[in-house]
């Protein structure tokens, strides 16, 4: 099947306290989103790139794409208020079965190794997420802010992106989810897990450098990673 990267760039950047959405902030002379687009543009197995963006910044983003000559970017779609709205915009864009590889625009250091392992895994699995084993002790607390349960670290992971799916699976998962009046989604793999329990969500091992830039301190970490990689 065709491999389509979907870069989710609908965030507002409020938590970082910036006037511009964080995906458009400069990082060593490039916009953060440029690193994410380039990773998929350079991968020979990616056939097409879609970007889902806040409507206010579509023209701004189009200028970046034209200037950098990203040939695989075929469409910029208007996102929505929630992350799930952005995912649905990409899902509803298609009417044929393709591999959809969703990635956060603000994870600029996704490696070719991760992208290739996601594509490889889609030959066997219909849904997957990239994740790293948790290195911290995680506890469950009660409403009084007291420790209720200490969870076993060996069975816990920190979820990253990409998250990838056969189009027919993620479309059906969202179709079921939208019938639930209490539906809330923080990521796409959780939608499949909750509403299509018959589908196995496979784990592709992530990397510590595959960080998400959310707060100002993350920009400093990103600069350190760039220096290490000499990008």
């Amino acid at each position: 099947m065709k491999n389509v990267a979907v870069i989710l760039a609908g965030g507002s950047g409020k938590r970082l306290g910036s006037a511009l959405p964080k995906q458009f902030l400069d990082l060593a002379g490039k916009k953060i989103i440029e690193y994410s687009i380039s990773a998929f543009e350079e991968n020979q197995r990616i056939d097409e790139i879609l970007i889902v963006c806040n409507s206010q910044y579509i023209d701004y983003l189009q200028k970046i794409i034209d200037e950098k000559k990203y040939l695989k970017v075929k469409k910029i779609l208007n996102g929505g208020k929630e992350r799930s709205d952005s995912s649905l915009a990409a899902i509803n864009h298609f009417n044929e079965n393709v591999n959809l590889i969703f990635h956060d625009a603000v994870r600029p250091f996704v490696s070719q190794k991760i992208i290739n392992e996601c594509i490889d895994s889609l030959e066997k699995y219909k849904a997957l997420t990239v994740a790293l084993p948790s290195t911290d002790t995680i506890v469950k607390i009660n409403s009084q802010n007291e420790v209720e349960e200490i969870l076993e670290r060996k069975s816990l992971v920190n979820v990253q992106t990409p998250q990838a799916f056969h189009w027919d699976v993620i479309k059906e998962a969202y179709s079921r989810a939208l019938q639930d009046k209490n539906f809330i989604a923080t990521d796409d793999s959780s939608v499949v897990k909750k509403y299509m329990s018959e589908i196995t969500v496979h784990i592709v091992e992530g990397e510590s450098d595959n960080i998400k830039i959310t707060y100002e301190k993350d920009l400093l970490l990103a600069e350190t990673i760039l220096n290490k990689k000499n990008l």
Side-chain angles (χ1 to χ4, degrees):
M1 289 191 291
K2 183 164 68 171
N3 296 310
V4 180
V6 178
I7 297 179
L8 301 172
S12 64
K14 290 180 180 178
R15 283 182 287 181
L16 197 134
S18 168
L20 266 181
K22 54 195 172 182
Q23 58 269 26
F24 299 122
L25 295 181
D26 285 329
L27 178 60
K30 293 167 62 175
K31 307 297 184 189
I32 290 172
I33 194 171
E34 289 180 44
Y35 293 94
S36 298
I37 298 172
S38 294
F40 292 96
E41 178 82 18
E42 293 165 9
N43 188 286
Q44 295 182 357
R45 301 169 72 186
I46 294 294
D47 300 296
E48 180 180 331
I49 300 172
L50 295 183
I51 306 177
V52 187
C53 180
N54 185 303
S55 60
Q56 298 178 52
Y57 294 96
I58 289 178
D59 290 342
Y60 182 83
L61 177 56
Q62 187 64 59
K63 289 179 181 178
I64 295 173
I65 292 165
D66 293 342
E67 179 184 330
K68 300 298 181 179
K69 296 180 171 59
Y70 290 124
L71 301 179
K72 292 184 181 179
V73 178
K74 303 303 182 184
K75 189 79 175 178
I76 301 175
L77 301 174
N78 184 17
K81 183 179 178 182
E82 305 295 337
R83 178 198 169 93
S84 56
D85 296 325
S86 294
S87 296
L88 274 167
I91 293 164
N92 292 334
H93 179 73
F94 291 93
N95 57 13
E96 61 178 327
N97 208 11
V98 297
N99 290 330
L100 292 180
I101 302 165
F102 292 90
H103 186 65
D104 296 324
V106 289
R107 288 189 188 271
F109 306 128
V110 60
S111 69
Q112 297 301 307
K113 178 176 180 290
I114 285 178
I115 295 171
N116 285 325
E117 288 188 4
C118 287
I119 294 171
D120 288 340
S121 295
L122 286 171
E123 294 178 7
K124 181 178 180 181
Y125 299 96
K126 296 182 178 181
L128 64 88
T129 184
V130 172
L132 266 183
S134 177
T135 57
D136 296 320
T137 297
I138 307 295
V139 300
K140 181 180 179 182
I141 63 173
N142 60 24
S143 58
Q144 284 75 47
N145 210 31
E146 301 165 338
V147 173
E148 187 172 282
E149 182 182 358
I150 299 175
L151 305 176
E152 282 197 51
R153 188 188 307 170
K154 65 181 181 181
S155 63
L156 300 173
V157 295
N158 295 318
V159 171
Q160 302 180 337
T161 63
Q163 297 186 341
F165 312 89
H166 291 192
W167 171 79
D168 58 344
V169 167
I170 192 66
K171 181 175 178 61
E172 176 61 22
Y174 267 99
S175 177
R176 297 181 189 182
L178 292 173
Q179 297 175 43
D180 180 358
K181 64 180 181 180
N182 298 315
F183 169 58
I184 297 175
T186 56
D187 74 333
D188 299 302
S189 64
S190 65
V191 178
V192 173
K193 180 62 180 174
K194 181 172 183 179
Y195 296 99
M196 291 192 75
S197 58
E198 68 271 24
I199 298 294
T200 298
V201 179
H202 178 63
I203 297 293
V204 169
E205 186 172 356
E207 295 171 350
S208 59
D209 286 351
N210 188 27
I211 64 168
K212 183 178 182 181
I213 297 177
T214 304
Y215 301 105
E216 189 172 358
K217 63 181 176 61
D218 298 325
L219 287 171
L220 298 175
L221 177 56
E223 290 175 359
T224 301
I225 294 171
L226 276 175
N227 289 333
K228 180 179 70 175
K229 294 177 176 288
N230 293 317
L231 292 178

